[in-house]
Structure formats: C-alpha cells, structure tokens
Amino acid sequence: METNTTIDQALDAFIEDQRRRLSDRTMRKYEDVVGLLRDSLNGYAYESLDKTDAKRFDKAYQAGDEEAFCHLFGPEHILDHLGEFLGYFMVRKVMGSQELLRSAGTVTKKLATWLYEQGYVSDDEREIAVDRGTEAARDLPRAERLASLLYDQSRATPNFDPGALGKGDLVEDYLMIDRIEPGALYFAGGIGPLRVSEQASALAEVGWGVNVTLARTSGAWFVVEVGNVYSMY
C-alpha cells in the first residue's frame, strides 16, 4: 500500500516511538540495526525496482544522492528487502558480533509489527517478516559460530601439495549442507563426510550454504579455507 511517507521518515518515527519505551542500552541496539538496514536498503534494494521507479532512483543517485532509495520510496518497500538484509548484508557486509546478529532479527520483527500498526503493510506481510526475524534471531548467531569453528578447524589442517591431488579432490565453492551426522557434515554434489566437532555439527542446519575450500587427502576431507556460513531467508 502506497504512502506519501518515505522510508527515512518511517524509520525515524519507528526509532522515536521505541525510544519512549526502551532503555538506553536497548535503544543503542535498535539504532545500530536500523542504521544498517538503511545502508542495506540504499545500497541494494534498488535492484528490485520496476522500470519506472528504477529511472527515478537512477536520476537521483546520479545527481549525488547516495541515500536516494530511502529518500524517494515508501515504507512498503522495507519488508521485501529483509531477506537480503538478514541473509546477505548482515553476514557478508557487516560481519557483526553474535549479539548484533541476534538483535537484527529482534529489531526487524518489531519493525514489521510497527509498520503493520501504522497501516504501511498488510497482516500477511507482517506475519512473513516476523517469522523471518524470529528465524534470523535464532540462526544468524549460530551460523556465525559455525563459521568460526570451521575457521579454527582449518588452521589445524595438515600441509599438502595441491599439485598431488586428484581430480575433484580440491573444491573451492559455495556449498550447500546436504546432510548432517554427529561430528560430520555432507555437502551437495556428494562431497563429504567432512569430520567436524560435534559442537559444529549441532550448530549446522541442512540447507545452509558455506563459502569454503575443501581438500581430500588420504581419503578424508579437510577444511583449507572458510568464509561465511549463510542461513536462508
């Protein structure tokens, strides 16, 4: 539902509304998350615009308004972007603490409900966004912890000669976790098992993606390098 209110104005109003009821410490978290959401919207949300709105955005951006998206468009555009914000921006661009990642899910849940209460989004849109925020608050810190454990494991990988590896024994890719057993991860494409700690396997979820380099030597897979772990939203 369209409105004359801009995203910037709506987010400012949301923050001011929360300030009346939250502690200073909690408000700092809300302000941090909303600031990051603005950055994500301004940096990436234009990709989903139709041709007419894309032209408006391009004109303003080329004129020097680097925050054109939040200046031009209304709050009905916010919830459509939450998947990218939580599943990509917070993981790839921010690489925040587990506390910040958890806060991102909590704040976006509250924002979705507030947007509905103000009449900016439908109840169905609110419900989808709240579910997404709940999952993010639970999963993002776990995914970050899993990435940290895999990184620690990579540092213990024995040295090997890449030139001595057979075809298919060195994989550098974005791999989807396909199956999990206590102490082992299996990836799509028949890659695995990768032996991990039981703590790591307990954190992992089927369907999560991992930017990783794996090597197979003496019949066993080892972590060579690891980037981010992505939970899906």
Side-chain angles (χ1 to χ4, degrees):
M1 34 189 97
E2 294 188 1
T3 171
N4 291 326
T5 303
T6 67
I7 292 172
D8 257 349
Q9 292 168 338
L11 292 178
D12 284 345
F14 169 69
I15 286 294
E16 288 308 309
D17 198 27
Q18 305 315 302
R19 198 182 307 280
R20 291 193 287 268
R21 64 190 73 179
L22 299 175
S23 68
D24 289 345
R25 182 176 184 275
T26 302
M27 272 311 306
R28 285 193 290 272
K29 295 178 184 178
Y30 271 63
E31 289 167 345
D32 287 345
V33 172
V34 169
L36 291 168
L37 176 58
R38 288 182 201 266
D39 291 343
S40 184
L41 285 161
N42 285 320
Y44 299 96
Y46 71 91
E47 296 172 353
S48 64
L49 293 173
D50 60 30
K51 288 184 178 180
T52 300
D53 284 339
K55 288 180 180 179
R56 289 179 61 207
F57 171 82
D58 286 342
K59 182 178 179 180
Y61 189 85
Q62 294 301 324
D65 186 358
E66 296 185 355
E67 300 177 352
F69 192 89
C70 289
H71 290 161
L72 288 176
F73 302 110
E76 69 274 8
H77 289 272
I78 295 174
L79 298 190
D80 286 343
H81 185 68
L82 290 188
E84 184 164 1
F85 172 63
L86 295 170
Y88 173 79
F89 186 84
M90 287 300 298
V91 177
R92 186 71 178 269
K93 297 299 182 181
V94 178
M95 294 180 288
S97 66
Q98 292 187 28
E99 182 179 8
L100 179 59
L101 293 171
R102 189 176 295 109
S103 294
T106 301
V107 173
T108 52
K109 283 171 54 181
K110 186 68 175 180
L111 174 60
T113 298
W114 184 88
L115 289 169
Y116 168 70
E117 291 171 347
Q118 307 307 309
Y120 294 136
V121 300
S122 69
D123 190 39
D124 286 344
E125 291 171 318
R126 176 203 63 80
E127 185 175 353
I128 291 169
V130 167
D131 287 345
R132 183 173 282 157
T134 299
E135 293 173 1
R138 179 192 67 219
D139 291 345
L140 289 179
R142 290 175 58 209
E144 191 275 338
R145 179 60 180 151
L146 176 58
S148 178
L149 290 174
L150 292 176
Y151 171 76
D152 291 343
Q153 184 171 326
S154 74
R155 302 188 68 182
T157 293
N159 293 328
F160 63 93
D161 178 9
L165 297 179
K167 184 178 180 180
D169 286 340
L170 184 65
V171 178
E172 183 178 5
D173 207 345
Y174 174 80
L175 299 178
M176 197 77 72
I177 297 175
D178 193 47
R179 182 158 60 97
I180 301 167
E181 294 178 357
L185 301 179
Y186 296 78
F187 298 92
I191 299 170
L194 171 67
R195 298 298 174 188
V196 298
S197 67
E198 292 202 6
Q199 182 183 8
S201 61
L203 288 167
E205 293 283 350
V206 170
W208 284 9
V210 187
N211 280 330
V212 68
T213 300
L214 301 175
R216 180 168 52 189
T217 64
S218 302
W221 287 98
F222 294 89
V223 183
V224 180
E225 294 179 354
V226 65
N228 298 305
V229 176
Y230 296 92
S231 46
M232 301 293 109
Y233 300 104

